Amino acid sequence: MSGWLVIAGLGPGDAELVTPEVTRALAEATDIVGYGPYVARVAPRAGLSLHPSDNRVELDRSRHALELAADGRRVVVVSSGDPGVFAMASAVFEAVEAGPDPWRALDIRVAPGITAMLAAAARVGAPLGHDFCAINLSDNLKPWALIERRLRHVAEADFAMAFYNPRSKSRPDGFQKTLDVLRDSCAEDRIIVFARAVSTPEEDIRVLPLSQATAEMADMRTMVIVGASNTRLIARDGRPFVYTPRSVEA
Amino acid sequence: MSGWLVIAGLGPGDAELVTPEVTRALAEATDIVGYGPYVARVAPRAGLSLHPSDNRVELDRSRHALELAADGRRVVVVSSGDPGVFAMASAVFEAVEAGPDPWRALDIRVAPGITAMLAAAARVGAPLGHDFCAINLSDNLKPWALIERRLRHVAEADFAMAFYNPRSKSRPDGFQKTLDVLRDSCAEDRIIVFARAVSTPEEDIRVLPLSQATAEMADMRTMVIVGASNTRLIARDGRPFVYTPRSVEA
C-alpha cells in the first residue's frame, strides 16, 4: 500500500471556503491528524481514524502523521486557514528534516486554503489591496525584540499589516506593546480592523482609528489588520468599506 | 429586482482550487465582468452575459460592473487568485468611492480565493511559514523608489518575501533591479523560488540560491518567493522541500 500525507487548509471556518482539493483529500484519507477543534470539523465515517491532539504539540503531531504515512496510510494533517501561514506545514517539514531518511521520499503535498487575513480582508473590502506584511505576534517561538524590529521596519516602509495571534491568555501584554509601537510610527487616524472568528456564527468585526484601539479588542480568535497610510474608508450605512488603493503617488 | 456584486477569486488556475462560495456566486450570476482570460474560465450558459475586457482598464471595468449591479443585475467580477491581493477588489472600491452615492448602498461582497503566493508556497513546502511580506514589483502605479525602499526594509527585518508581477514586456528591467537590491542585503545562498503558472498545465518551478537567479527566470506568470535568512532546504530525489521554521533563536 502506498501512503501519502496531505497538509490541508480548512479555511477560516465556513464549509463554503474549503477547496474541492481539500474535500477530496479528506474523502480519500484513512487518517486525520490535527489540533482537536480542527479535527472536529471533519465528518466521521467508517474506515476513517481521527487523531485529535492538544495545542502546542505540533512536532509530536507531525511525527505521528509521518509515521502513519510511512506505514502506508493516507493521512491528512488539518490546519485552519492555509497550512503554510503560521500553521502546520512548517512543523511537518521540520519533522521531515530531523527525521529518518525514508521520510524525505514520502509523497507529501500541501493543499492551500483561505488564510485568516484574506478572509478578514474580504469582509471589510480590500485593506490588503497593496503591498502588505503578515506577522505572527506570538513570542512563544521568537524573541519579542525581533517582532518589534519587524514592526518598526514595516511601519517605516508604509506597508499594510496583518497580525496573527495578537493576544492570548498566556501573552496578555504583547498586543499592547504592538499598539505602542504602532502609535510611535503611525498617525492616530491610521485604520485598524479587528476581525474575530470570520465566517463563523461568532463573527465580529470592528473598524476604527488607531487612536481608539485597545488591547482588549483582540483575543486568540482575532485577526488584526492595519492599513497603510493611504488606506481609505468609504462611509455608508452600517460598517464602512476599507480599501488600500492600487496607486501610490510619486 | 435586487442586484448584487461579488468580487470573486478564481484561484491560480486549477478548478479544484475554486471555493464553493465562488462556484455558487458564478452559478447565481447574470453577468460576469473581468479581464478576458479570467472570464474565459467561466462556463457559458443560457441567461449569463459575459463581459470580457482588456488588461489595464480596471476602473472602467469596475464602473461597468457597478452600473450593472445598480440596474438590478447579479454581477460577479472575476479575478485570478484572491481578489484582495493585487487584483480587482481595490479597483472596485476605488470606483465606489469616486462614484455616485447610491453605489455605496449596493450589496457588494468579496469572495476570497487562493492567491498565487500561497499556491506557489504550497508546491515547494512552506517557504512563507513565518513572517513574510507581499510586494507588487510593478512600478506602473507607484514609483520605483518606493519599491526599493520597501525591499530594503523587509530584507533588513529578515522577512520572507513574495513578489507579484516581477517582470513584463513593458518593464524588462525592474526585476534585475530587485535582484540587485537583494544581493546588496542577503547572503548569496539565500533561497529563491520561481513558480510559473502554478496549478496549470504550464506549471514550472525552480528552487535555487540567489547567486544563480537571473532576471530572465521571471515573466508575467511567475510568482517569486525569497526565503528569510533561516529558510531551509531539505534535499531529496527531485525538487527539494523548502520551509521557513516556526522558531527564531534569540
Side-chain angles (χ1 to χ4, degrees):
Chain A
M1 189 160 77
S2 180
W4 47 251
L5 192 158
V6 170
I7 313 159
L10 297 178
D14 184 345
E16 280 227 299
L17 296 176
V18 180
T19 67
E21 179 184 54
V22 168
T23 299
R24 186 167 52 82
L26 294 171
E28 294 173 353
T30 57
D31 296 81
I32 308 292
V33 173
Y35 177 44
Y38 306 148
V39 172
R41 287 175 56 190
V42 180
R45 59 176 161 77
L48 181 68
S49 299
L50 303 177
H51 308 274
S53 47
D54 284 343
N55 210 346
R56 297 215 194 176
V57 292
E58 290 84 0
L59 274 184
D60 291 343
R61 183 190 297 150
S62 298
R63 283 187 287 259
H64 182 211
L66 288 158
E67 283 161 5
L68 288 167
D71 277 351
R73 312 281 297 177
R74 301 188 297 273
V75 184
V76 176
V77 173
V78 286
S79 273
S80 75
D82 180 275
V85 178
F86 310 124
M88 280 302 297
S90 280
V92 170
F93 289 107
E94 190 178 332
V96 169
E97 188 179 25
D101 271 355
W103 284 2
R104 297 183 179 215
L106 289 172
D107 176 6
I108 303 174
R109 283 162 281 148
V110 177
I114 303 294
T115 186
M117 68 179 165
L118 298 184
R123 276 295 192 270
V124 297
L128 304 177
H130 204 61
D131 300 339
F132 66 93
C133 296
I135 301 180
N136 184 344
L137 291 183
S138 168
D139 60 356
N140 288 335
L141 296 174
K142 65 184 165 188
W144 169 258
L146 177 62
I147 299 174
E148 180 169 339
R149 185 155 69 89
R150 287 181 171 167
L151 288 169
R152 292 192 186 279
H153 277 290
V154 299
E156 177 67 26
D158 199 14
F159 281 91
M161 310 170 207
F163 299 139
Y164 287 75
N165 302 314
R167 191 159 172 268
S168 70
K169 282 176 189 156
S170 63
R171 298 177 289 107
D173 302 326
F175 188 57
Q176 182 59 56
K177 289 191 282 184
T178 299
L179 289 174
D180 293 343
V181 172
L182 292 174
R183 285 181 178 131
D184 269 1
S185 318
C186 305
E188 60 178 26
D189 62 349
R190 180 67 65 99
I191 297 166
I192 184 165
V193 177
F194 292 87
R196 184 171 188 280
V198 168
S199 91
T200 78
E202 295 83 42
E203 177 172 305
D204 181 43
I205 294 177
R206 307 168 79 158
V207 175
L208 60 174
L210 179 59
S211 58
Q212 291 175 25
T214 66
E216 295 67 35
M217 291 176 182
D219 71 3
M220 279 282 288
R221 298 185 70 192
T222 309
M223 183 77 223
V224 179
I225 294 177
V226 177
S229 64
N230 65 337
T231 297
R232 308 278 307 161
L233 208 84
I234 306 178
R236 60 200 286 263
D237 285 343
R239 197 167 66 223
F241 292 128
V242 180
Y243 79 101
T244 302
R246 302 164 304 141
S247 304
V248 179
E249 301 295 320
Chain B
M1 189 159 76
S2 180
W4 48 250
L5 191 159
V6 170
I7 313 157
L10 298 178
D14 184 345
E16 281 228 298
L17 296 176
V18 180
T19 68
E21 178 183 53
V22 168
T23 299
R24 187 167 53 81
L26 294 171
E28 294 173 352
T30 57
D31 297 80
I32 307 292
V33 173
Y35 177 44
Y38 306 148
V39 173
R41 288 176 55 191
V42 179
R45 59 177 161 78
L48 182 67
S49 299
L50 302 178
H51 307 274
S53 46
D54 284 343
N55 210 348
R56 298 214 192 175
V57 291
E58 290 84 0
L59 275 183
D60 291 342
R61 182 191 298 151
S62 298
R63 283 187 288 260
H64 181 212
L66 288 157
E67 284 161 4
L68 288 168
D71 278 349
R73 312 283 296 177
R74 301 188 297 274
V75 184
V76 176
V77 173
V78 287
S79 271
S80 76
D82 180 275
V85 178
F86 311 123
M88 281 302 298
S90 280
V92 170
F93 290 108
E94 190 179 331
V96 169
E97 189 179 24
D101 270 355
W103 283 1
R104 299 183 179 215
L106 290 172
D107 176 5
I108 303 174
R109 282 162 282 148
V110 178
I114 302 294
T115 185
M117 69 179 164
L118 299 184
R123 275 296 193 271
V124 296
L128 304 177
H130 203 60
D131 300 340
F132 66 92
C133 296
I135 302 180
N136 184 345
L137 290 183
S138 168
D139 60 356
N140 288 335
L141 296 174
K142 65 184 165 187
W144 169 257
L146 178 63
I147 299 174
E148 180 169 339
R149 184 156 70 90
R150 288 181 172 168
L151 288 169
R152 291 192 186 280
H153 276 289
V154 300
E156 177 67 28
D158 199 13
F159 282 90
M161 310 170 207
F163 299 138
Y164 286 75
N165 303 316
R167 191 159 173 266
S168 71
K169 282 177 189 157
S170 62
R171 297 177 290 107
D173 302 325
F175 188 58
Q176 182 60 56
K177 289 191 281 184
T178 299
L179 289 175
D180 293 343
V181 172
L182 292 173
R183 286 183 177 128
D184 269 1
S185 319
C186 305
E188 60 178 24
D189 62 350
R190 180 67 65 100
I191 296 166
I192 185 165
V193 177
F194 293 87
R196 185 171 187 279
V198 168
S199 90
T200 78
E202 295 82 43
E203 177 174 304
D204 181 41
I205 294 177
R206 306 168 80 158
V207 176
L208 61 173
L210 179 58
S211 59
Q212 290 176 25
T214 65
E216 295 68 34
M217 291 175 182
D219 70 5
M220 279 281 287
R221 298 184 69 191
T222 308
M223 182 76 223
V224 178
I225 295 177
V226 177
S229 64
N230 66 337
T231 298
R232 308 278 306 162
L233 208 84
I234 306 178
R236 58 199 288 263
D237 284 344
R239 198 168 64 223
F241 291 128
V242 180
Y243 79 101
T244 301
R246 301 164 305 140
S247 304
V248 180
E249 301 295 321

